[in-house]
Structures are given as C-alpha cells and as structure tokens.
Amino acid sequence: MKNEIKIFSPATVANVACGFDVLGFCLDTIGDEMVIRKTEAKGIKITKIEGYDLPFEAEKNVAGVSALAMYNALQPDCGFEIEIYKKIKPGSGIGSSSASAAGSVFGMNALLGNPLNNTELTNYAMKGEALASKCEHADNLAPAIFGGFTLVKSACPLKVLELPTPSDLFATLIHPQIEIKTSESRAILPKEIPLSNAITQWANVGSLVHALHTSDYDLIKESLNDVVIEPYRKQLIPHFDDVKSAVLESGALGCAISGSGPSIFALSKSEATAKAVQLAMQNVYSKSNIQFETYVSKINTQGIKIL
Ligand SMILES: Nc1ncnc2c1ncn2[C@@H]1O[C@H](COP(=O)(O)OP(=O)(O)OP(=O)(O)O)[C@@H](O)[C@H]1O
Ligand SMILES: N[C@@H](CCO)C(=O)O
C-alpha cells in the first residue's frame, strides 16, 4: 500500500441559488492540490502550506481539524503529514475551506485502504468546515467528495443525495478580490422568513431537482432564483445586480451568489454561452477598480481525485 498520495480537491458552489445550506455542485477547473503522507510518528502534522497564509497548527486549520476528528475516531497505527497547495483563496465563496477539510480526510482514507464511505468522510470533514463557518454544514463538502450536484437531505444524521448532472451544463464564475467570511455573511441573515418567500423557495428547490433529473434546461432557468438569502447578501457584493442583468442578457440560465460570496456564479446550456457570460461578467467589473478573476468550468462529476 502507498505511503503518500497527491490529490486534487475541487472548488464547489454551495446553495445553487434556491438551496441554502442544502444544494451544491462541484467545479472542474479550480481547486487545491494536497499531499497526504503516512508517518511512523503518530498524530497529524501540517508540514507545508503554499499559496495563502494559513495556520500550521492542526487545531486551527480546517484540514487539520477534520483530519484529527477522523484520526481520533479510527486511531490508526501511524500518523499523517499534510501539505496544502492552496489555489482557492480563503473567503472566496467557492469552498476554499471545504476543499481543505475534505482533502485531508479523503487522502487519509485512501492511504488506509478506504475503510470509510463518502458519507462518513463528509461527516468528519464537517468538523473542519465548522471551524471556518461556525456551523456544521455540508453543502460545499458533499459535492467536493461525491462530485456533481448534491442535496444534503439532513446534516444530522448526515444524508446526502447525489443528483444527476445534465451533460451540456457549464458554470461561469467571477471572484471579485474582496474577502467575505462565511461566518460574517451568515450573521446578517434573518432568523425568520415570511411564509410566502418560503413557498417560493421550496417550489424552486423541488423544481430544480426535477429539472436536473429530466435535463429540462427551461425549468432549470425558472428555478434558479433565491428570494430568501440574496436580498441580504447581495449588499456585500459590489455590482451584483449589474452582473446578474448582464449575465442573463448574455443567455445564462441563471445567476446567483456562490456560497456566501463574494463570488457570483452562472449556469449556461453550452460552453459557448458560458464563455459569453464570462465576457459579460468581465465587462461589468472592468469598469470598477476591484480586481477579479473569472472561470468557466464543466461540472465535475467525479469530485476529489488522486493525481
Ligand atoms: N485550510 C484552509 N483553507 C481555507 N481557509 C481556512 C483553512 N484553514 C482555516 N481557514 C480559515 O477559514 C476561513 C475561510 O473560510 P470561509 O468558509 O469563510 O471561506 P470559503 O470556504 O472560501 O467560502 P464558502 O464556504 O462560502 O465557499 C478563513 O478565515 C481562513 O483563515
Ligand atoms: N451554505 C453556506 C455555504 C458557505 O459555506 C452559506 O451560504 O453560508
């Protein structure tokens, strides 16, 4: 059995407009790399972090927290070293913390001969994610670990449903280079919502799930709306309304905040449309003085993979 593996741990889009804390999908072209190594010395050590300035103490890094949760439960006869090559900026809204939290447990599981299934891995990864967002949710972790579109039916006990990915669906993202911490963008949300908004939202979630199962792109378009969270969070994202109008005019099926922001995502029916949408996003932000990155990505149906 191998003593070291290198993995690609993908970025993810949580919420998918209407499914706050339950829906998510996995990206293909953006993600971190990690190396996980078995050691004779017991315990979990983060030995290298490149890309962004993050804590090396296992208890303060989401990769270490999820690794420790799994390590303490399994009590293997070895230790692990973790190297993180961070490409996803922390606080980006595309699952930076999830990529690390999921990557460490996925890598350890592979080196131990895969004793745990994806649901068990997601459960341990949630312990790490809770360090970043102050709450245990799995809407970024599930798509990172299972791949494709996922729905977290319940967090405790964890139940993840894998949803189908229509083959022509492409995502476009813009990441304005400002940081919004998940914990802060959760703190501004209302504790209660009007019943009329709840009805609209759960109708959208149900119809989006149906649309994914039937590859009904018109229904995907009708369902990608968020009347519960977006009105509050969009105020934290400069030019959000301008981006959304420009993107919809360019032919996207829908556009919404990615996770807790500041990234904004759109879904389109072809790669050509996804690229036109990318130009529309760039046009809006190039008129401002905010730096940004844009991406076009297929939906990654595999999730985390060994390189
Ligand atoms: N390995 C890690 N990778 C990323 N962030 C980490 C890591 N370890 C600790 N953190 C902390 O987690 C916070 C970033 O997580 P946060 O959930 O706010 O952003 P995100 O994962 O990009 O967003 P979202 O969950 O909305 O997609 C930062 O405060 C960062 O310092
Ligand atoms: N569902 C979470 C995703 C971010 O981690 C939120 O929107 O707060």
Side-chain angles (χ1 to χ4, degrees):
M1 206 176 287
K2 277 188 177 180
N3 279 331
E4 173 179 315
I5 56 166
K6 188 175 187 184
I7 59 166
F8 171 76
S9 195
T12 45
V13 172
N15 302 338
V16 199
C18 49
F20 180 68
D21 275 2
V22 299
L23 285 176
F25 67 82
C26 189
L27 296 166
D28 204 31
T29 49
I30 323 155
D32 294 345
E33 287 179 7
M34 296 172 78
V35 172
I36 319 290
R37 190 175 302 115
K38 252 183 179 175
T39 57
E40 273 182 27
K42 292 245 187 151
I44 301 290
K45 263 196 179 164
I46 299 176
T47 51
K48 199 171 192 182
I49 303 176
E50 279 185 17
Y52 293 97
D53 191 17
L54 290 164
F56 275 82
E57 299 97 301
E59 295 78 6
K60 291 189 183 161
N61 191 305
V62 297
V65 174
S66 57
L68 279 168
M70 175 172 157
Y71 186 78
N72 292 335
L74 264 52
Q75 307 211 330
D77 197 21
C78 63
F80 292 94
E81 285 178 359
I82 301 170
E83 296 179 2
I84 306 172
Y85 299 88
K86 195 99 207 133
K87 310 269 169 60
I88 318 168
K89 192 171 189 271
S92 55
I94 50 173
S96 177
S97 47
S98 287
S100 288
S104 59
V105 294
F106 176 91
M108 286 163 58
N109 192 45
L111 291 175
L112 292 172
N114 293 311
L116 302 180
N117 63 30
N118 283 345
T119 303
E120 290 164 326
L121 287 182
T122 308
N123 248 322
Y124 289 119
M126 282 168 75
K127 305 292 174 205
E129 181 73 317
L131 176 76
S133 61
K134 313 283 178 255
C135 121
E136 285 191 19
H137 59 91
D139 52 344
N140 285 108
L141 294 167
I145 291 173
F146 288 78
F149 280 84
T150 52
L151 186 145
V152 181
K153 162 74 179 70
S154 70
C156 188
L158 181 65
K159 181 162 182 156
V160 175
L161 304 182
E162 294 179 76
L163 305 175
T165 301
S167 55
D168 292 336
L169 215 49
F170 282 80
T172 314
L173 285 110
I174 182 160
H175 173 205
Q177 304 286 301
I178 54 171
E179 183 176 355
I180 298 181
K181 290 221 161 90
T182 301
S183 52
E184 287 163 15
S185 70
R186 292 181 84 83
I188 63 163
L189 299 177
K191 300 282 171 280
E192 288 171 10
I193 59 168
L195 183 60
S196 56
N197 283 352
I199 293 168
T200 305
Q201 198 86 350
W202 62 54
N204 281 333
V205 174
S207 58
L208 180 56
V209 169
H210 181 70
L212 293 173
H213 274 279
T214 51
S215 293
D216 184 339
Y217 292 92
D218 291 334
L219 190 58
I220 291 176
K221 187 171 180 173
E222 283 175 42
S223 313
L224 283 172
N225 277 311
D226 170 14
V227 296
V228 171
I229 306 295
E230 184 177 294
Y232 296 92
R233 284 188 170 168
K234 72 176 186 177
Q235 293 155 26
L236 304 175
I237 304 173
H239 313 298
F240 176 81
D241 285 331
D242 296 336
V243 168
K244 188 165 174 171
S245 324
V247 156
L248 294 178
E249 265 174 40
S250 303
L253 298 168
C255 173
I257 300 168
S258 174
S260 58
S263 292
I264 304 169
F265 81 95
L267 285 173
S268 300
K269 198 188 161 182
S270 68
E271 190 171 16
T273 309
K275 285 185 173 161
V277 164
Q278 181 181 31
L279 277 180
M281 288 175 165
Q282 288 167 346
N283 278 342
V284 172
Y285 262 88
S286 53
K287 290 181 196 130
S288 77
N289 55 7
I290 301 170
Q291 302 288 310
F292 60 89
E293 293 281 347
T294 58
Y295 311 92
V296 171
S297 174
K298 273 200 325 202
I299 312 301
N300 170 355
T301 53
Q302 186 182 352
I304 301 185
K305 61 178 181 213
I306 296 173
L307 294 174

